[in-house]
């Protein structure tokens, strides 16, 4: 019965796994549509869930989209900072053969 109180969806952005979660305290809370926790998190590669980066979202689609975009932007910024230093524009030019 407790499994009914947890709703998790895992998706990938590149090689980074993301968790979209909704958790309820009681079955009646789930029926009323009031989640105790709604969050999007970057699942750590090292398995240390205490270091998981989390963004909370409210009960609207716009807020969920905002949280997902924030997580995506953090992943892309981290990957950019760990790269060889090429900017997005230079990477796009290399991919297309453009030199502008």
């Amino acid at each position: 019965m407790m499994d009914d109180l947890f709703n998790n969806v895992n998706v990938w952005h590149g090689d980074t796994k993301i968790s979209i979660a909704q958790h309820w305290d009681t079955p009646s809370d789930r029926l009323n549509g009031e989640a105790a926790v709604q969050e999007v998190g970057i699942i750590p590669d090292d398995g240390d869930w205490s270091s998981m980066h989390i963004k909370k979202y409210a009960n609207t689609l716009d807020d969920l989209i905002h949280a997902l975009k924030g997580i995506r932007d953090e992943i892309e910024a981290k990957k950019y900072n760990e790269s060889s230093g090429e900017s997005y524009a230079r990477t796009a030019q290399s991919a297309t053969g453009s030199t502008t």
Side-chain angles (χ1 to χ4, degrees), residues 11-26:
V11 297
W12 291 89
H13 183 63
D15 59 354
T16 304
K17 194 173 186 179
I18 313 309
S19 170
I20 305 166
Q22 267 186 322
H23 301 171
W24 293 267
D25 289 332
T26 67

Side-chain angles (χ1 to χ4, degrees), residues 18 20 38-40 55-73:
I18 313 309
I20 305 166
Q38 294 188 139
E39 59 192 22
V40 178
K55 288 196 176 282
K56 305 275 186 196
Y57 64 93
N59 287 331
T60 68
L61 179 58
D62 287 338
D63 205 49
L64 173 58
I65 290 168
H66 180 75
L68 289 168
K69 284 181 177 180
I71 291 289
R72 179 202 55 206
D73 293 348

Side-chain angles (χ1 to χ4, degrees), residues 8-54:
N8 285 74
V9 175
N10 293 320
V11 297
W12 291 89
H13 183 63
D15 59 354
T16 304
K17 194 173 186 179
I18 313 309
S19 170
I20 305 166
Q22 267 186 322
H23 301 171
W24 293 267
D25 289 332
T26 67
S28 63
D29 289 340
R30 184 167 183 161
L31 293 174
N32 294 329
E34 296 177 22
V37 174
Q38 294 188 139
E39 59 192 22
V40 178
I42 300 170
I43 298 175
D45 292 333
D46 63 5
D48 180 8
W49 289 80
S50 65
S51 67
M52 184 175 186
H53 182 81
I54 295 172

Side-chain angles (χ1 to χ4, degrees), residues 79-92:
K79 296 220 182 290
Y80 171 74
N81 290 334
E82 292 175 352
S83 75
S84 64
E86 288 187 352
S87 70
Y88 291 118
R90 290 189 61 183
T91 302

